[in-house]
Amino acid sequence: MLDFLFTGWGAFWMTLFMLLPFAFIFFYVIHRKSVVDSGPSGSTDKKMSRLEGIWLTVVFVVFVGVNLASLKFMPTIASAHAATTRTDIQSIDLSAKSWAYELSSREIEAGRPVRFSGRSTDTMHGFAVYHPDGRMLFTMMLMPGLSKPTSLVHTFKEPGKYKVRCLEYCGVAHHAMQDELTIVKSN
Ligand SMILES: [Cu+2]
C-alpha cells in the first residue's frame, strides 16, 4: 500500500509533508516578529528586512537544493531505481537465525544490481555489508514474522571479500554472527 513512497518522488513529498508543521511555526514566528518590529519602538529599517528576505531565500534555496540533490543517494531510492530500470538483477535469498545466515549464494557479480531478500526465523537480526576497506555499505533490519521478505537492491562496484555482520543485538553470540560475500568481476 505504501509502495508509492519508495518510487519516484514519493519520499520527497512525504518529507515535505512532514516538514509542513515546522514550516508553519517558522513562518508564524517570522510574521509575529515583523509585526513587533514595526511597532512604535521598532525602527523603520528597510535595509534590515531586505537582508532578512535575502537570508530566508538563501536558506530556502539551499534547503530544497540539498534535499533534491541528495535524493538519489538514499538507499531506498537507489534501490527502487535499480529495480525498475534494470532487467539483469541478480538475487540472493537469505535467512537469519541465531547466530548465522543461510544464503542462497555467496558469490555476486560486480557492476550488476543484486536484490537481497531477507527473513529472520527467530528474533530481530541485522544484515550489514562492509566494503573490504571497512566502510559499511548498507544494513537491513530483519524482523521475524513478516509475511514478505525485507529486500534491498545494491550494486557492488569492486570485486573483493565483503564482510557481513549482524547489527541488531540478538543474544549471547550476536558478535559471532558474521558471514562473507565474494564479489567477482563481471563477465
Ligand atoms: Cu545480532
Side-chain angles (χ1 to χ4, degrees):
M1 192 183 92
L2 292 174
D3 286 358
F4 74 94
L5 286 178
F6 301 104
T7 52
W9 289 82
F12 176 74
W13 293 121
M14 192 62 195
T15 308
L16 213 58
F17 178 71
M18 291 192 296
L19 286 172
L20 275 180
F22 299 99
F24 178 78
I25 292 167
F26 180 73
F27 286 109
Y28 179 73
V29 168
I30 294 286
H31 173 71
R32 290 296 300 170
K33 189 176 170 305
S34 71
V35 170
V36 171
D37 281 353
S38 61
S41 61
S43 62
T44 51
D45 196 343
K46 282 278 177 226
K47 247 185 192 167
M48 198 52 217
S49 64
R50 216 183 71 205
L51 267 179
E52 270 183 347
I54 295 171
W55 181 80
L56 271 180
T57 311
V58 169
V59 168
F60 182 76
V61 169
V62 168
F63 176 79
V64 172
V66 167
N67 272 279
L68 282 181
S70 59
L71 256 190
K72 68 174 175 176
F73 298 106
M74 283 174 65
T76 42
I77 301 291
S79 243
H81 184 72
T84 49
T85 57
R86 302 280 296 243
T87 52
D88 58 344
I89 293 187
Q90 313 166 78
S91 68
I92 289 189
D93 290 316
L94 65 105
S95 154
K97 190 183 177 188
S98 301
W99 291 277
Y101 299 100
E102 247 175 56
L103 289 141
S104 59
S105 169
R106 286 179 170 75
E107 203 177 281
I108 298 164
E109 242 181 63
R112 202 147 70 80
V114 53
R115 179 188 290 280
F116 293 94
S117 302
R119 288 175 182 282
S120 166
T121 58
D122 45 23
T123 184
M124 188 81 101
H125 291 292
F127 184 82
V129 176
Y130 290 78
H131 186 275
D133 71 8
R135 261 182 308 129
M136 186 181 74
L137 297 176
F138 63 86
T139 181
M140 290 164 83
M141 190 191 271
L142 306 171
M143 284 192 280
L146 297 181
S147 56
K148 280 186 184 175
T150 303
S151 91
L152 183 145
V153 179
H154 184 80
T155 307
F156 290 92
K157 295 188 182 94
E158 302 151 48
K161 302 269 186 202
Y162 288 61
K163 270 257 172 307
V164 173
R165 295 187 181 101
C166 174
L167 292 191
E168 299 290 334
Y169 183 68
C170 57
V172 66
H174 160 68
H175 63 283
M177 193 162 171
Q178 301 189 12
D179 216 298
E180 196 173 71
L181 300 171
T182 305
I183 312 302
V184 296
K185 271 211 180 80
S186 54
N187 306 314

